[in-house]
Amino acid sequence: MTDGFLYFALIFLSAAVIVVPLAKRSGLGAILGYLLAGVIIGPFGMGLIKNPEAILHFAEFGVVMMLFLIGLELQPLTLWRLRKPILGLGGSQVALTTFLIAAGCLAMGLSWPVGLAIGLGLALSSTAIAIQLMNERNIFTTYTGQSSFSVLLFQDIAIIPILAIIPLLAVGGDVGSVQQAIEVVEEQAGGSLWEKGLMVIGLVSVIIAVGHYAMRPALRYIAQTGVREIFTATALLLVIGVTFLMKSVGLSAALGAFIAGVILADSEYRHEIEAQIEPFKALLLGLFFISVGMSMNFDILASDWMTALGALLGLLIIKFAVLFFLAKIFKFDFAQNLIFSTLLAQGGEFGFVVFQFANQVNLINADLTSLLNMVVALSMAATPLMLMFYDRVIVRRLQNAQNFDVLPEKPSIKTHSPVLIFGNGRFGQVVARLLQANKIQTTILDHDPKQIDTMRRFGWEVFYGDVMDMELLHAAGAEKAKLLVLAINDREKSVAAASLIKQKYPHLKIYARAYDRRHAYELSKVGVDYFERETFHAALNMGREVLMALGYRAYEARNLALRFAKHDRKILIESFSYFEDEKALISFAQQSREELTRIFESDRTDAELHREEGWDEDDGNKPQIGKR
Amino acid sequence: MSGTVLIIYAHPAHQTSRVNRRMMETARDLEGVTVRDLYELYPDFHIKVKIEQALIEKHTHIVFQHPFFWYSCPSLLKEYIDLTLSYGWAYGPQGTALNGKTLLSAITTGGGADAYKRTGHNFYTVNELLQPFDQTARLCGMTYLEPFILNGSLQVNDQAIDAHCNRYRQKIIDLRNGDIGEVYQR
């Protein structure tokens, strides 16, 4: 067994590592790379893996994780705002596409139950492909992205009734009454519909209640133990648990994971959970695409390539036309509409499920099932190619025709802040408050659950996570942020983090809280863009107040303090070249102290000179202590 | 006894001042007189406009007391004018808060009186150079008074300073009592 697992892992990882970068380099994109890798190692390529179906089944978990992550990005309120496109756009897409495809099947001489089953299966698009492509193109947050997502979400929900209808279609014309129909469905489901319905409602309520009330304290408890891998384990357990529960009552695991995600969307652990799940998702999704590639049955293509290609073209054209028509009604502009319709024109992974099921209940025969699976897989591979065609050919035409419009950024699901603040203690908090008071969107992260809890009770949105976790930064939108305020109080960690972040996100400016001069030096060495010593300005202000208490005028005290600060910073930065050598540093420090005294001295002399030259009424008197 | 006097005092080097400091101190304790020491109040140039406007509203006579720097006032007084005399309050529609008040410039110049004429190195007279203040008063519906000037403030001896301070004190008392004296000749 171990050998088997290692063998699989070796084959899959090698295929991915060799083929995907090549595909990406050559402009084909990662998805085509995975599909290609699958074809190469699959039964019709080198034959290294024999049973792609089993692996496909396992890899579908990647899709579940993807929906969980999408749920995490969606606050319940955002979801509510999307209800119109979900129901309107999604609903009419599934209905219209199903109808047209079923009609096509009838025309080709298939029976209507078979046609309807095929229509329902093919109406579903590939969430995996579409969302992956949207992420690659960075359009998930645009209007197009949101609309596409709404359609996909509706399809994910529609899979439940579709799977319920399939057995009905299997008995076809024999269903005489509603009563009979229900009996057929119940027979398939293995229980009474009432019981089933209650179970579903009960289960979803349990997920919502647990997610809402129990998950947060549980996550905080686990975060407080500080064992990072246990947090990872918890995040995984969460997704797997939900999947298991949903499957146990025959519901779509993806939908359950999505609901779980939405419930946790306003939790402070959102970014951290995201960061933990993301690598698993990405790998499993890759595995999923590989399995799709492996399951492509080229025998069918060889034996009856006319039918297969005809079906593929028919599928793409019908789906594209329906989407294009609907988008027109929903008032997309032309360029947006093209992307939207292309993104969703393929068949999807749920199609595999539907056809497999239809085959089980003897509605669709085995040959037709493999043909349909082949068509779906080909349509999935066609999508990135069509988008490439769009980019290379159509965009240019549109630009030439002068009516190409850059996609407008409409309200987004996944908002990205220009500023990330890491560490929300007594330092980061002040920065955050100043920025937020000026309506500058900031994402605040902290590693102390207690601190987060306090801040949240005061109505602040603070997320949990560790600054060394680059996945977390990625989830918090480091790619798009302009600036990161590094305000944690752990000196060594802040240097290490600054160095790591600078390597990973060179564009991201780092403004760091420094403990003292040495820390400032270390931070500068790893390339932070600005540092502020945490107590310097407080002490400087104190000095200024003391001067005033001694009788200095407020304005003079201010000027003296500012001059001191300026000189101090200049000397500090100059001294950085001596930091590795203590002797040189000490002598440099002495010199600069003397220099400072000289500067203040010469200011006074200058003032006296002015008076003698008759340009000023300054008589050079020193301020009198105790008298203002 | 009519009205009160608001002295807006601006001197960045008050601690080393010979004349302005004493002028301000002789006027400060007078009944019905308020002094705003701008450089002490707003060392960071962050003027509290609402407070300053409320004070102006409460007084009838406004005095800008300052050394004459580069033919104008020190920068903080300029900032004060820029922010406090705001649109819709000091001028423009409904900008009537200053209507009927008087404005007096009480200034000291480093150069002697001879420097401020066509043959002197400053070419213009002090009164000519104070035109921006006169026009400011005009736009705000105020009466701009004949400026109160001490020339050659660096050369004057202590007796002269004493005498000037006494005159200044009397000027402020007169203003407070409603005797506005001479008006600026345009």
Side-chain angles (χ1 to χ4, degrees):
Chain A
M1 184 62 221
T2 317
D3 282 349
F5 171 74
L6 283 180
Y7 173 74
F8 279 128
L10 184 75
I11 298 294
F12 279 113
L13 292 175
S14 316
V17 168
I18 295 167
V19 182
V20 175
L22 280 174
K24 187 111 204 204
R25 283 273 162 95
S26 59
L28 289 174
I31 295 179
L32 278 177
Y34 281 119
L35 292 172
L36 218 61
V39 172
I40 292 171
I41 61 172
F44 294 91
M46 298 162 71
L48 295 172
I49 306 277
K50 306 285 183 213
N51 51 343
E53 286 75 23
I55 289 156
L56 182 64
H57 200 63
F58 171 67
E60 267 168 15
F61 192 53
V63 182
V64 173
M65 283 184 160
M66 182 162 77
L67 273 152
F68 176 73
L69 291 179
I70 293 167
L72 272 182
E73 295 285 352
L74 268 181
Q75 312 269 339
L77 214 65
T78 325
L79 194 58
W80 180 242
R81 225 182 48 218
L82 285 176
R83 68 193 183 282
K84 252 196 201 155
I86 293 175
L87 292 176
L89 206 53
S92 26
Q93 185 269 337
V94 171
L96 257 177
T97 314
T98 305
F99 173 76
L100 286 174
I101 292 178
C105 290
L106 275 182
M108 290 179 28
L110 292 168
S111 74
W112 72 263
V114 173
L116 193 55
I118 294 175
L120 285 168
L122 291 179
L124 306 173
S125 311
S126 169
T127 310
I129 296 264
I131 290 188
Q132 196 67 16
L133 284 171
M134 285 194 275
N135 282 338
E136 271 178 25
R137 301 169 70 87
N138 249 331
I139 55 170
F140 193 79
T141 58
T142 62
Y143 186 62
T144 317
Q146 277 197 24
S147 307
S148 311
F149 175 70
S150 303
V151 173
L152 292 167
L153 193 60
F154 180 85
Q155 295 176 350
D156 288 347
I157 298 167
I159 183 83
I160 303 164
I162 289 176
L163 289 179
I165 289 171
I166 297 289
L168 279 181
L169 295 173
V171 287
D174 298 346
V175 183
S177 67
V178 177
Q179 188 56 42
Q180 263 180 303
I182 292 174
E183 272 168 22
V184 173
V185 176
E186 284 181 350
E187 197 192 319
Q188 266 303 321
S192 99
L193 267 190
W194 278 108
E195 269 175 36
K196 207 83 186 168
L198 279 179
M199 250 170 92
V200 169
I201 294 170
L203 192 61
V204 172
S205 319
V206 166
I207 291 177
I208 292 177
V210 169
H212 206 269
Y213 295 104
M215 246 6 250
R216 195 176 284 179
L219 286 170
R220 185 181 313 136
Y221 167 75
I222 287 156
Q224 263 170 344
T225 62
V227 188
R228 283 181 57 73
E229 66 273 17
I230 290 302
F231 197 93
T232 312
T234 313
L236 272 177
L237 179 63
L238 193 71
V239 184
I240 292 175
V242 170
T243 308
F244 186 78
L245 273 177
M246 295 298 274
K247 284 227 155 148
S248 70
V249 294
L251 278 180
S252 149
L255 187 70
F258 176 74
I259 295 173
V262 172
I263 295 160
L264 289 172
D266 58 356
S267 139
E268 61 268 48
Y269 297 101
R270 180 180 108 194
H271 285 312
E272 181 70 7
I273 295 173
E274 239 180 288
Q276 301 297 337
I277 297 287
E278 176 68 36
F280 293 101
K281 176 214 96 176
L283 273 178
L284 278 175
L285 214 55
L287 185 61
F288 171 77
F289 292 133
I290 291 181
S291 348
V292 171
M294 288 194 311
S295 63
M296 288 196 188
N297 188 337
F298 288 92
D299 280 348
I300 290 180
L301 199 58
S303 65
D304 196 359
W305 63 273
M306 290 270 281
T307 317
L309 282 187
L312 173 65
L313 275 179
L315 168 68
L316 292 175
I317 290 171
I318 290 176
K319 289 195 87 163
F320 186 91
V322 168
L323 289 160
F324 196 85
F325 168 71
L326 289 174
K328 200 100 197 161
I329 293 176
F330 275 76
K331 299 201 166 66
F332 286 44
D333 71 38
F334 188 60
Q336 281 178 327
N337 192 343
L338 279 179
I339 291 197
F340 169 76
S341 309
T342 310
L343 266 177
L344 300 177
Q346 77 292 97
E349 53 276 7
F350 288 127
F352 298 143
V353 178
V354 171
F355 300 138
Q356 199 191 351
F357 189 48
N359 181 236
Q360 271 172 28
V361 298
N362 293 321
L363 178 60
I364 302 178
N365 66 37
D367 283 350
L368 189 52
T369 306
S370 8
L371 174 70
L372 287 168
N373 282 343
M374 181 66 190
V375 168
V376 169
L378 281 176
S379 73
M380 283 161 95
T383 308
L385 289 171
M386 289 186 334
L387 272 182
M388 265 162 60
F389 177 74
Y390 168 83
D391 285 340
R392 308 242 162 114
V393 182
I394 299 187
V395 170
R396 272 187 212 150
R397 292 265 167 91
L398 284 174
Q399 274 168 336
N400 291 343
Q402 290 292 310
N403 63 357
F404 177 71
D405 203 11
V406 181
L407 294 179
E409 281 285 336
K410 299 221 171 139
S412 62
I413 298 171
K414 201 174 179 177
T415 47
H416 287 288
S417 309
V419 181
L420 310 177
I421 297 184
F422 230 116
N424 193 43
R426 57 204 174 90
F427 196 98
Q429 224 172 83
V430 177
V431 183
R433 275 165 56 202
L434 175 63
L435 294 178
Q436 298 202 341
N438 289 288
K439 302 211 163 54
I440 295 166
Q441 210 189 344
T442 44
T443 299
I444 309 171
L445 304 119
D446 201 291
H447 74 288
D448 180 3
K450 274 197 195 113
Q451 177 73 20
I452 295 172
D453 195 47
T454 316
M455 295 305 292
R456 287 201 150 226
R457 270 189 274 126
F458 282 92
W460 284 79
E461 220 190 358
V462 183
F463 296 101
Y464 170 81
D466 188 284
V467 69
M468 296 300 283
D469 186 346
M470 292 300 114
E471 285 296 336
L472 171 70
L473 278 180
H474 170 77
E479 271 95 0
K480 290 177 191 155
K482 290 198 178 85
L483 194 150
L484 178 135
V485 178
L486 191 55
I488 60 173
N489 62 6
D490 183 330
R491 284 190 251 175
E492 277 160 35
K493 208 170 191 176
S494 88
V495 174
S499 158
L500 199 59
I501 296 165
K502 267 290 161 196
Q503 282 166 29
K504 188 117 197 270
Y505 303 104
H507 80 281
L508 191 63
K509 285 204 158 39
I510 302 181
Y511 279 44
R513 159 192 182 178
Y515 176 79
D516 57 7
R517 292 173 164 258
R518 177 159 289 280
H519 191 208
Y521 159 68
E522 282 160 2
L523 286 166
S524 296
K525 213 167 62 172
V526 298
V528 304
D529 297 87
Y530 183 80
F531 64 81
E532 194 65 83
R533 279 165 292 159
E534 58 182 25
T535 56
F536 182 79
H537 280 280
L540 190 72
N541 273 336
M542 177 73 98
R544 186 172 154 180
E545 290 295 325
V546 168
L547 285 174
M548 281 160 66
L550 293 178
Y552 277 75
R553 296 265 300 169
Y555 184 63
E556 198 190 14
R558 165 205 185 250
N559 288 344
L560 293 172
L562 288 182
R563 183 160 312 155
F564 177 84
K566 189 174 127 201
H567 177 260
D568 186 76
R569 195 170 181 95
K570 177 180 146 249
I571 292 300
L572 175 59
I573 287 164
E574 281 174 17
S575 74
F576 283 169
S577 45
Y578 302 99
F579 255 89
E580 307 293 355
D581 177 356
E582 205 190 345
K583 248 189 191 159
L585 184 63
I586 290 170
S587 109
F588 179 78
Q590 261 161 5
Q591 274 173 36
S592 31
R593 240 196 324 274
E594 283 157 21
E595 189 187 326
L596 185 62
T597 318
R598 255 200 323 279
I599 287 172
F600 282 121
E601 201 71 57
S602 79
D603 281 347
R604 278 193 282 272
T605 326
D606 281 353
E608 277 162 33
L609 274 173
H610 267 297
R611 186 180 57 85
E612 277 159 27
E613 284 167 5
W615 287 101
D616 200 322
E617 53 183 315
D618 189 341
D619 66 0
N621 280 341
K622 305 274 156 50
Q624 285 155 357
I625 286 178
K627 192 178 168 202
R628 296 216 182 183
Chain B
M1 295 286 278
S2 68
T4 46
V5 183
L6 180 65
I7 299 177
I8 308 299
Y9 171 66
H11 198 323
H14 170 91
Q15 65 275 13
T16 57
S17 154
R18 299 171 69 212
V19 185
N20 269 298
R21 177 182 185 150
R22 285 198 44 206
M23 284 168 68
M24 186 268 263
E25 281 166 357
T26 73
R28 184 162 57 186
D29 305 326
L30 289 170
E31 180 84 35
V33 174
T34 310
V35 173
R36 299 297 284 168
D37 183 351
L38 291 188
Y39 277 92
E40 188 66 11
L41 288 166
Y42 305 120
D44 295 308
F45 281 53
H46 194 72
I47 288 161
K48 293 174 180 158
V49 173
K50 287 272 172 281
I51 290 177
E52 296 304 322
Q53 288 180 341
L55 278 168
I56 292 176
E57 281 167 3
K58 277 189 208 130
H59 295 79
T60 314
H61 308 288
I62 316 297
V63 179
F64 286 168
Q65 188 205 323
H66 58 88
F68 204 43
F69 283 178
W70 282 107
Y71 316 112
S72 185
C73 58
S75 52
L76 182 52
L77 177 56
K78 182 64 167 63
E79 179 81 355
Y80 171 96
I81 295 168
D82 291 350
L83 298 184
T84 309
L85 306 192
S86 59
Y87 179 79
W89 182 80
Y91 68 104
Q94 285 100 45
T96 56
L98 301 173
N99 283 185
K101 297 186 191 292
T102 64
L103 179 65
L104 172 71
S105 284
I107 61 172
T108 59
T109 68
D114 287 346
Y116 289 94
K117 55 185 177 193
R118 291 295 181 268
T119 51
H121 60 257
N122 289 321
F123 191 76
Y124 296 105
T125 68
V126 176
N127 272 24
E128 281 169 343
L129 293 167
L130 283 171
Q131 274 174 11
F133 292 90
D134 171 43
Q135 172 54 24
T136 300
R138 243 165 69 100
L139 188 69
C140 301
M142 304 169 88
T143 308
Y144 191 55
L145 303 178
E146 180 64 20
F148 189 84
I149 304 168
L150 176 71
N151 289 121
S153 62
L154 300 168
Q155 284 79 38
V156 291
N157 58 28
D158 287 352
Q159 285 97 320
I161 292 173
D162 285 344
H164 184 72
C165 287
N166 286 336
R167 277 202 303 281
Y168 185 58
R169 185 182 160 89
Q170 192 54 51
K171 180 73 192 173
I172 299 298
I173 292 170
D174 289 347
L175 269 180
R176 184 196 66 189
N177 295 344
D179 171 12
I180 64 170
E182 250 185 283
V183 170
Y184 180 83
Q185 296 300 310
R186 293 198 174 101

